[in-house]
Amino acid sequence: MTQERTYLGVPLHKPKVAFFELSSCEGCQLQIVNNEATLLDFLSLVEIVNFREAMTERSNDYEIAFVEGSVTRADEITRLTEIRRNAAVLVALGSCACFGGVNQLKNRFHDIAWVKKEVYGKHPVETEAEAKPLEAFVRVDLKIFGCPIKKEEVEKIVTNVALGRPVQHPKFPVCMECKANENICLFDLGEPCLGPVTRAGCDSWCPNSRMGCWGCRGPADDANVEQLRNIAKKHGISAEAMLDRLECFGGFASHVDEIRGKAKAKKTASAAKGGVNPPSSPLGKGRRR
Amino acid sequence: MIFKVFGKKELPRLFDVIAVNRVVGPVQKGTDKNGSPLHTFGEVRDFAELSLDYKTTILSAKRFVLPFHETLCTFRVTENGWEKDVDFNVRGPTVFFGLHACDINAFNRLDKVLMESVYPTPYYASKRKNMFIIGTNCEPQPYCFCRSMGTDTALHGFDLFLTDIGDRYFAEVQSATAYNFLLQIKTADPKEKDHQRYMDVVAEKNKKFTAHVDNTDLTKILDMEFQSQAWKEWGDKCLSCGTCANVCPTCYCYGVEETVDMNATGARKIKSLHSCNLIDFAEVAGGHNFRPERHSRLKYRYYHKHRGFVEAFEESLCVGCGRCGEACLADITVPEVIASVRGEGH
Ligand code: SF4
Ligand code: SF4
Ligand code: SF4
Ligand code: SF4
Ligand code: SF4
């Protein structure tokens, strides 16, 4: 385990890495530990100096910081800023860190007191009105998408980082991998799927189990969200069902804002013309948009 | 060509004779939301697993010669350097039991690029040279336009072609291997009425085509209509998802990735099929993208199939199987796209 690695005769630099979590479920970090077969190889590539899920010692001497979770509290901003100062490379690990993740669902409600009461009941918690991605506060050097991240992908990325090779994400959508996995398309089964607009890299994890993609990895380059919404409509899938998916992980936040903005503008225009307002959103109370 | 006829009960026996080899054929994969069966090509061990009455398959048989992902070679780091292992990934002959004419022609078209060109592809050729193909006749579906592409009948590229003429099969025998296999079941020489029956079946089939593509002067028209507004309209609909290329029996584009094993003692070169509709298809070193817009990429797909390939090989790379249009969520179909570019009904 401690034996020095070489590649083509050249000793490999073994970077010191640290793992941190902000507001998250720690599921992404778990993906890394949850890996008996390859864990030793992983540990021979990097030197882990800080990993709450796997060890008790702590250190602030690290080159690469993997940060999981979104920012929802003021003290997390302080921690994150400090991590950024210490790390040469800051990696956003998982969709919470990249886009706000599931946490950012609360950003869609304007009454934070109501949200807190719904979620935590009487337990007092400190939380900001919005959950934000790391990028809202610090520079992020590398993003690893997914909720959770896919361990095979992380291993590939870490290997490339350790060898100084470039890291590239697929630019195309999940459908590419889904077809290679020979799945029946979810739309043929009458179910929605965000595969055509979501960045690949998960090896079509959800469609492989006959579940439509929820877009956890965020948009593919040049994602045609508008067209996918038309397609869903033709398949009898409601606009709101598609928006629920698009909103779920925060990767499509700007698309959703645009769609909801347009819908609102249309509604106001039709109201002005004396039209009938459509029924209010099923999410009801406290809905921001 | 040698013709034979044999009773339907002989077919399972033929299967058993051949099935000492790996057999690939149409199998049911599931059902869609309306309860209609969805087929694919898969490995079969028992005749009963075959769905020879299949209409089409969700994916073509291409992946048995051009896998979606294929390891081209592996490298082992040794004390003094490294060693390279090349494996064409052929484990023995493959029998294709029940290919329709379009798919047989698709292999013939692929041969032109991957086997008969200046630089043949050994990974393809080694698999292609190691197959035995049994074709079966089909019934045109609303999306089939093979007749327009001249691929509704296979003239070569198979060992045996079976046409269902009612109570028996009319067999075209094109290889000595096929002839020898047939010696092991009960066959007869066709009589005049079998010939008649065969021609009736073919005539009946020809009446059933509903989708068509007008190929007249198409290469020239595509050149003239390079700036047509139709491209822009289809491009707006396209999801750039690559599904059309993935289901297509003749798309062969790919990318190669080199990865290093996590223990740094080995590396591999992996080829993965790609599609010209994907955003990075025409991206080059330095980041410049020659086709950044969806419509330019979609257009390229049509230019390769219906213009570039025709100019190089005097026939289209599209065999009219209709799979791409069926699989495309945006309902982009070859007959409609070509018609719109020709200025018809758009
Ligand atoms: S199931 Fe989803 S990911 Fe798979 S092909 Fe269909 S739309 Fe694409
Ligand atoms: S299929 Fe979609 S939701 Fe599922 S893991 Fe992949 S990107 Fe995430
Ligand atoms: S034409 Fe259809 S299948 Fe092909 S990339 Fe566009 S949307 Fe996908
Ligand atoms: S382009 Fe479409 S119709 Fe033509 S061969 Fe490919 S999948 Fe079949
Ligand atoms: S260029 Fe496009 S149409 Fe031609 S083979 Fe490649 S993927 Fe298929």
Side-chain angles (χ1 to χ4, degrees), chain A residues 3-196:
Chain A
Q3 195 197 334
E4 287 308 314
R5 285 264 183 230
T6 58
Y7 182 62
L8 297 171
V10 182
L12 275 189
H13 169 62
K14 198 170 170 182
K16 287 185 180 153
V17 306
F19 288 83
F20 302 95
E21 64 283 327
L22 305 179
S23 295
S24 65
C25 69
E26 299 194 14
C28 286
Q29 290 185 65
L30 194 62
Q31 280 288 92
I32 291 177
V33 196
N34 183 9
N35 209 348
E36 293 83 6
T38 47
L39 194 57
L40 286 186
D41 282 336
F42 187 83
L43 293 175
S44 72
L45 273 186
V46 293
E47 185 184 337
I48 300 184
V49 299
N50 199 334
F51 198 160
R52 201 179 65 83
E53 276 201 15
M55 59 195 272
T56 42
E57 306 92 79
R58 297 284 160 95
S59 164
N60 278 333
D61 177 22
Y62 47 82
E63 296 160 71
I64 307 177
F66 289 87
V67 183
E68 183 200 84
S70 62
V71 181
T72 62
R73 291 194 319 254
D75 64 301
E76 289 176 336
I77 303 177
T78 322
R79 271 183 73 207
L80 180 61
T81 317
E82 197 190 312
I83 296 168
R84 176 70 270 188
R85 231 189 345 259
N86 290 339
V89 178
L90 190 148
V91 184
L93 188 65
S95 295
C96 292
C98 295
F99 318 118
V102 177
N103 304 335
Q104 57 76 48
L105 275 174
K106 76 168 179 182
N107 302 3
R108 308 248 151 230
F109 300 88
H110 57 65
D111 186 351
I112 185 66
W114 177 84
V115 171
K116 271 193 195 173
K117 199 168 134 270
E118 284 293 303
V119 178
Y120 299 102
K122 290 202 176 75
H123 300 281
V125 286
E126 199 220 312
T127 183
E128 300 284 314
E130 297 209 348
K132 293 194 168 150
L134 309 187
E135 244 176 358
F137 305 96
V138 296
R139 193 186 82 243
V140 169
D141 302 301
L142 184 66
K143 291 180 190 166
I144 301 186
F145 305 108
C147 180
I149 54 170
K150 184 100 180 159
K151 62 178 183 179
E152 291 82 359
E153 198 190 19
V154 182
E155 289 173 353
K156 196 162 112 186
I157 290 175
V158 170
T159 308
N160 284 341
V161 169
L163 293 171
R165 303 176 80 232
V167 173
Q168 267 164 350
H169 288 293
K171 295 182 176 172
F172 49 77
V174 175
C175 290
M176 263 314 268
E177 299 175 329
C178 189
K179 285 286 171 261
N181 285 319
E182 306 180 17
N183 297 323
I184 293 176
C185 181
L186 267 303
F187 283 96
D188 283 338
L189 300 172
E191 300 197 21
C193 181
L194 294 191

Side-chain angles (χ1 to χ4, degrees), chain B residues 147-198:
Chain B
R147 192 156 168 77
S148 303
M149 310 314 288
T151 50
D152 54 326
T153 166
L155 300 177
H156 66 101
F158 58 86
D159 293 86
L160 191 62
F161 198 100
L162 306 178
T163 301
D164 185 338
I165 54 167
D167 60 340
R168 71 193 85 176
Y169 289 106
F170 186 92
E172 299 164 51
V173 188
Q174 242 185 19
S175 75
T177 322
Y179 186 83
N180 287 332
F181 277 137
L182 285 182
L183 291 178
Q184 300 185 53
I185 65 167
K186 224 159 73 197
T187 62
D189 290 329
K191 304 222 167 60
E192 187 49 40
K193 73 170 193 317
D194 294 318
H195 292 170
Q196 193 51 51
R197 195 62 206 115
Y198 174 85

Side-chain angles (χ1 to χ4, degrees), chain A residues 236-276:
Chain A
I237 295 154
S238 78
E240 202 56 41
M242 289 304 277
L243 278 168
D244 276 351
R245 277 181 191 241
L246 288 165
E247 288 188 317
C248 191
F249 292 96
F252 292 91
S254 61
H255 298 89
V256 173
D257 286 346
E258 196 187 316
I259 296 162
R260 291 219 186 268
K262 265 189 203 159
K264 207 170 142 195
K266 220 165 127 190
K267 208 163 115 181
T268 336
S270 77
K273 273 192 255 150
V276 185

